[in-house]
Amino acid sequence: MAAGGPPAMDDRDDKGGLRAALGGLTTRGRSFLAAGVAAAVCAYVLGQGDLLRVGLLLAVLPLVCVTVLFRTRYRVAGTRRLSPSRVPAGAEARVHLRMDNVSRLPTGLLMLQDRVPYVLGPRPRFVLDRVEAGGRREVSYRVRSDLRGRYPLGPLQLRLSDPFGMCELTRSFSAYDTLVVIPRTEPLPPVRLAGEASGYGEGRQRSLALAGEDDVIPRGYRHGDDLRRVHWRSTARYGELMVRREEQPQRARCTVLLDTRRIGYQGTGPDSAFEWAVSGAASALVHMLERGFAVRLLTDDGTSVPGEGGFAGSTQDTAESAGLMMDTLAVVDHSEGGGLARAYDVLRGGNEGLLIAFLGELDDEQAAVTARMRQRSGGAVAFVLDSAAWVHGRTPASDAACERRLQLLREAGWTAVPVRPGTDLARLWQQASHQGSLTQSAAVGGTTGGTTGFSGGWS
């Protein structure tokens, strides 16, 4: 990922002009100017000609430095490259900066500074001694954040200084980059299906398997098509060569539901229950995509990524869709809604395949809504966070309330697992498999005349 300012930067192009350049006087330059003026005044009062010459020298020197630095024709180009541009929380990214002197004159002393948010670390500064005409300098620094989010980097700033340190002028490039810090993910044990373990329908059923010979929708012949796929009946009907459409394997579907209700979680910070739920949803998304499932992210407010009714992994844009879901999780925050009704409405169409939910605290009403979601999916597993235990520790009252909610979900057909502070998701993933076999029945979208399914269990 590359970015930078304008192709070149001319130090003379400043709206403030020379007046702004005078504002760039350093403490040393201001001291020289004040000392020169004071010496000149004393020389006038005392009638000392030698002191007047000294005063004029002290006052003129910083003014000359300002004028020379302001009129110096420096033209430089800067670029920034992030490696990588998307990192998990707690991981480091390296930022590469490159400065090119595109003028015919060598530069003087350059101080390079990049603006970064405080959460990424201290502001990096570099000193470039001299860049010859047509020369290049490259520097780099590292950034790291324990908090997920989108963080702007830039704009890049250059600080020009004269050899005497009397004046410093700052010029800024206009462009900036964005570092995306996504939630941490954990490797999860695989899910073994009765059919294909990669997430395709059992026996790799195809979209045209339910259509008869007369129901095949042909398309025009294209250069390179196998002549064995020519559909002669359609060729005779349309008067041009027609071939059968390519049959595509159908992927099993999985919906990852993330409960973001503010009232469902207590506490804040990287170790809070909400951050654990976000990290768990990210881990589940990555795991199911790796297993070959078509996956989507659903939140309690009904927001579906990617798009309404879409699933990542069912098209050639799998990587782009997966990146979009991770970017969404990087900035997801608490919702002000109090219920899961909107998420239930999205699932009301049924045939949504496997449903994996990360839920905060549920009252009786929301537990009932969640229980009804099981009817809209082929299989369902829920990780229910006892948020009070994350803040106040485990108490008999909180244990009893959590167990009551879990029992309600289990009676509705969910595989419900309680989440306690300090428990890693991989262990809970195994615990869910030990509670019993999870039957999954995923509908394959776009099939004519019926649906195909699959079944499987947690291993």
Side-chain angles (χ1 to χ4, degrees):
M1 179 177 181
M9 180 182 64
D10 195 333
D11 291 334
R12 298 173 301 165
D13 298 336
D14 190 277
K15 296 181 179 180
L18 188 58
R19 182 177 180 181
L22 290 172
L25 284 172
T26 62
T27 302
R28 179 184 300 178
R30 296 177 187 273
S31 299
F32 267 68
L33 183 60
V37 172
V41 172
C42 292
Y44 177 78
V45 173
L46 301 176
Q48 297 292 329
D50 294 338
L51 183 59
L52 178 61
R53 286 190 290 271
V54 173
L56 291 177
L57 177 62
L58 294 176
V60 169
L61 181 59
L63 297 178
V64 171
C65 291
V66 168
T67 304
V68 173
L69 189 62
F70 176 72
R71 296 182 62 85
T72 300
R73 299 181 179 181
Y74 288 159
R75 293 182 61 84
V76 294
T79 58
R80 180 191 301 102
R81 180 172 57 87
L82 304 182
S83 178
S85 60
R86 183 187 291 116
V87 295
E92 290 186 344
R94 183 167 290 275
V95 183
H96 301 269
L97 304 177
R98 192 182 76 181
M99 301 302 302
D100 295 277
N101 183 10
V102 297
S103 65
R104 298 180 180 180
L105 297 176
T107 68
L109 185 66
L110 299 178
M111 285 176 283
L112 187 64
Q113 176 177 279
D114 205 8
R115 299 183 61 182
V116 300
Y118 175 77
V119 70
L120 296 183
R123 181 170 297 182
R125 295 181 175 88
F126 306 93
V127 177
L128 306 181
D129 187 14
R130 182 179 181 273
V131 183
E132 65 277 5
R136 174 186 301 172
R137 296 290 185 272
E138 295 185 3
V139 294
S140 65
Y141 64 93
R142 294 177 296 179
V143 291
R144 178 181 179 274
S145 175
D146 292 328
L147 301 175
R148 57 186 176 81
R150 295 173 60 90
Y151 301 101
L153 300 179
L156 190 63
Q157 293 180 334
L158 275 180
R159 184 173 297 176
L160 314 176
S161 178
D162 65 280
F164 300 101
M166 299 289 180
C167 180
E168 291 181 351
L169 297 182
T170 301
R171 296 292 185 270
S172 297
F173 292 91
S174 59
Y176 64 91
D177 288 322
T178 301
L179 175 67
V180 181
V181 181
I182 61 177
R184 296 185 182 93
T185 59
E186 297 182 36
L188 302 178
V191 175
R192 181 180 302 169
L193 302 177
E196 293 291 334
S198 62
Y200 288 93
E202 184 173 358
R204 290 184 180 267
Q205 301 185 46
R206 299 175 180 270
S207 60
L208 299 182
L210 300 179
E213 176 69 17
D214 296 334
D215 297 325
V216 174
I217 302 178
R219 61 169 175 81
Y221 175 82
R222 298 172 185 171
H223 179 71
D225 285 339
D226 191 345
L227 293 178
R228 289 174 296 183
R229 291 172 46 212
V230 173
H231 193 253
W232 297 109
R233 182 174 301 179
S234 298
T235 299
R237 179 182 303 173
Y238 295 103
E240 59 177 319
L241 201 59
M242 307 292 290
V243 297
R244 295 183 179 88
R245 293 183 182 272
E246 295 180 353
E247 299 175 344
Q248 300 294 334
Q250 298 300 306
R251 295 193 179 200
R253 291 180 173 181
C254 175
T255 299
V256 177
L257 171 62
L258 175 61
D259 179 10
T260 65
R261 296 172 301 124
R262 186 178 299 275
I263 63 175
Y265 300 91
Q266 300 181 31
T268 58
D271 297 327
S272 65
F274 180 68
E275 292 301 325
W276 192 98
V278 174
S279 178
S283 301
L285 287 171
V286 172
H287 175 75
M288 301 309 291
L289 283 173
E290 290 176 350
R291 300 298 295 171
F293 280 73
V295 184
R296 71 172 172 181
L297 172 66
L298 179 64
T299 59
D300 58 289
D301 59 4
T303 302
S304 178
V305 181
E308 184 177 355
F311 283 81
S314 58
T315 66
Q316 296 181 353
D317 299 328
T318 302
E320 181 180 351
S321 299
L324 178 60
M325 289 189 291
M326 298 303 290
D327 290 347
T328 301
L329 290 176
V331 297
V332 69
D333 201 355
H334 289 291
S335 67
E336 300 300 332
L340 299 166
R342 293 184 179 180
Y344 173 74
D345 291 339
V346 176
L347 298 172
R348 291 182 65 179
N351 299 325
E352 297 296 340
L354 178 63
L355 175 61
I356 303 176
F358 294 84
L359 306 171
E361 294 185 4
L362 301 173
D363 55 21
D364 293 340
E365 180 182 357
Q366 299 310 315
V369 173
T370 305
R372 291 197 299 271
M373 294 182 184
R374 175 62 180 86
Q375 304 171 2
R376 306 298 179 178
S377 62
V381 57
F383 298 94
V384 184
L385 284 79
D386 186 0
S387 183
W390 289 69
V391 178
H392 309 293
R394 300 180 61 178
T395 63
S398 65
D399 286 347
C402 183
E403 185 59 33
R404 185 176 65 255
R405 296 192 297 266
L406 292 174
Q407 186 62 31
L408 178 61
L409 296 181
R410 289 165 183 164
E411 291 175 354
W414 284 81
T415 299
V417 180
V419 180
R420 302 296 184 184
T423 308
D424 61 279
L425 180 59
R427 180 180 176 183
L428 296 176
W429 202 265
Q430 290 284 6
Q431 181 180 346
S433 68
H434 295 158
Q435 287 188 6
S437 299
L438 178 63
T439 303
Q440 306 171 354
S441 179
V444 179
T447 303
T448 303
T451 59
T452 60
F454 68 94
S455 62
W458 296 73
S459 62

